Amino acid sequence: MATIKDVAKLAGVSISTISRVLNAPDKVSKDKRERVLRAIEQLKYHPNALARGLIHKKTKTLGILIPDISNYYYAEMFRGMEDAAQEFGHNIIICNTDKDKHRMISALRSMKEKQIDGFVFTSEPVYPDYYDIFNQLGLPVVLASTQSLEYAIPSVKIDDEQAGFDAAQYLIDCGHRRIAMISGPHLDPIAGMSRLQGFMRAMRTNELDFDSARCVEFGNYRYDDGYAAMERLWDKNPELTAVFAASDEMALGAIYFLYRSGVRVPDEVSILGMDNTRIACMSLPRLTTVAQPIYEIGYKAVRTLQEVLDGAGPATLRTYLSHQIVARETVKNVNGEIF
């Protein structure tokens, strides 16, 4: 493979002249420029991306840190990130952190060594020690599907508290009064507690009795968590008529428990999910859910990072995208209509 030294020797110019031809051709005389281009064509020379990055202090490479790439939610978000990165001519390095601090630190250090221009951090809270690490790296960062109220880091997400409120209100508007929730982890301040707080606010606003000890169970957003949480709810609260699950996977787990228990959805118990991932319309019955603009969150996060890299900075520090309820077949109105 030809090197830049080979091109310089054939064209009879310096290596710095080759670099100027590749990156600022207007600054090179026509004669030298044509000699360099002929040498490049003759040798079939391809500039090394990392070497060019060292010259410009940018490698056109972004890092993406995701807790669980196997999760449908993050897979769809990453698609949005990748499309935006392609639009701006960036390559992507992706790391699956498993919400493991040491794994995340190792990934960030590796990305730093690879001269990434900046990175997107998804879903996890920004703890003080995380923020210290971000500062030490000195790289631009944007948060996706999470935020930090303590630190001035640009973020893109939905209003999770309002989404929890709207979920409960939707079930209430459908005539349900005995409503329970399968929440995310109570130690998750981003989506777990926020959605639960919104849910409970709706119950208070509508002056409905709500005993959290009987009407709330917790899970880690996965299918098995939803199944187990629904089993616990049903054991202590068999008179409930509707359940809001804080993720689609947990909603489907809850539906399967009810199916195995001989309880019909939505005729006897309505189930409302959250996220609107691809699996929401693959279930039977198809899942009614609070839809996040997952693709758009990923896309907007990379666009925001590009604004930071361009030096303009984001127009808004904390961007909230809109959510909406997508009605399918797992929520039934008390009047018999299915939503």
Side-chain angles (χ1 to χ4, degrees):
M1 183 180 295
T3 68
I4 193 170
K5 291 182 179 179
D6 298 327
V7 176
K9 183 177 180 180
L10 181 60
V13 298
S14 66
I15 291 176
S16 60
T17 299
I18 305 297
S19 296
R20 284 195 295 272
V21 170
L22 292 173
N23 302 296
D26 292 342
K27 296 182 179 181
V28 182
S29 68
K30 181 180 178 182
D31 175 62
K32 285 185 179 180
R33 188 167 64 242
E34 289 178 349
R35 280 157 47 198
V36 168
L37 292 175
R38 283 196 301 269
I40 287 174
E41 183 178 1
Q42 182 177 336
L43 294 173
K44 294 182 171 53
Y45 170 68
H46 296 284
N48 181 280
L50 181 57
R52 293 184 66 181
L54 293 174
I55 295 171
H56 292 283
K57 307 300 182 184
K58 290 185 178 180
T59 60
K60 301 296 287 183
T61 302
L62 305 179
I64 309 292
L65 282 82
I66 289 178
D68 182 6
I69 193 61
S70 68
N71 187 298
Y72 284 98
Y73 181 87
Y74 296 115
E76 187 167 343
M77 183 190 295
F78 178 69
R79 180 59 188 269
M81 293 176 180
E82 188 173 42
D83 284 354
Q86 288 288 320
E87 182 178 320
F88 293 110
H90 292 295
N91 296 309
I92 283 181
I93 298 174
I94 186 170
C95 175
N96 186 80
T97 67
D98 265 346
K99 294 189 176 181
D100 182 285
K101 176 182 175 181
H102 299 293
R103 188 167 179 173
M104 181 204 70
I105 293 173
S106 176
L108 282 173
R109 286 175 176 166
S110 176
M111 289 177 178
K112 177 72 171 180
E113 291 172 359
K114 290 178 172 60
Q115 305 286 331
I116 64 169
D117 298 332
F119 65 98
V120 178
F121 183 78
T122 66
S123 291
E124 292 188 72
V126 179
Y127 301 108
D129 53 346
Y130 284 18
Y131 183 69
D132 290 341
I133 294 165
F134 295 169
N135 275 339
Q136 290 169 19
L137 291 172
L139 293 170
V141 55
V142 170
L143 309 177
S145 196
T146 183
Q147 66 180 0
S148 174
L149 301 179
E150 295 82 9
Y151 309 114
I153 305 176
S155 58
V156 182
K157 67 187 295 291
I158 66 164
D159 185 337
D160 284 282
E161 196 275 346
Q162 186 62 44
F165 178 93
D166 292 345
Q169 189 63 55
Y170 179 76
L171 295 173
I172 293 167
D173 290 344
C174 287
H176 295 281
R177 297 295 179 268
R178 298 189 296 274
I179 306 171
M181 179 176 178
I182 300 176
S183 172
H186 64 280
L187 294 177
D188 171 14
I190 303 302
M193 288 309 299
S194 297
R195 294 173 190 176
L196 176 57
Q197 288 167 354
F199 179 87
M200 295 177 70
R201 177 165 66 90
M203 301 297 283
R204 291 193 302 270
T205 299
N206 289 273
E207 299 181 344
L208 296 178
D209 292 331
F210 186 75
D211 179 3
S212 59
R214 295 182 65 247
C215 298
V216 179
E217 285 292 340
F218 298 89
N220 200 29
Y221 303 110
R222 302 310 293 263
Y223 181 91
D224 292 342
D225 297 313
Y227 184 100
M230 189 68 241
E231 184 174 18
R232 295 192 297 271
L233 279 176
W234 196 248
D235 182 60
K236 60 186 179 183
N237 198 1
E239 69 275 12
L240 61 84
T241 66
V243 176
F244 168 50
S247 76
D248 289 343
E249 282 200 40
M250 290 201 298
L252 296 186
I255 289 174
Y256 186 53
F257 168 79
L258 293 171
Y259 168 78
R260 292 194 64 183
S261 302
V263 180
R264 294 171 298 167
V265 176
D267 296 324
E268 297 176 80
V269 176
S270 290
I271 300 291
L272 177 63
M274 173 88 197
D275 291 335
N276 196 35
T277 51
R278 290 179 58 204
I279 59 173
C281 57
M282 297 178 185
S283 64
L284 187 64
R286 296 184 306 148
L287 184 65
T288 297
T289 187
V290 182
Q292 292 198 57
I294 306 172
Y295 175 94
E296 288 77 8
I297 289 174
Y299 186 90
K300 178 65 175 177
V302 169
R303 285 193 65 92
T304 301
L305 183 56
Q306 182 64 47
E307 292 172 6
V308 176
L309 292 172
D310 288 341
T316 303
L317 183 63
R318 299 181 182 94
T319 300
Y320 295 97
L321 302 185
S322 300
H323 59 273
Q324 62 178 329
I325 294 176
V326 176
R328 294 192 179 96
E329 299 165 350
T330 59
V331 174
K332 185 175 183 179
N333 191 287
V334 292
N335 296 319
E337 301 171 9
I338 295 177
F339 295 87

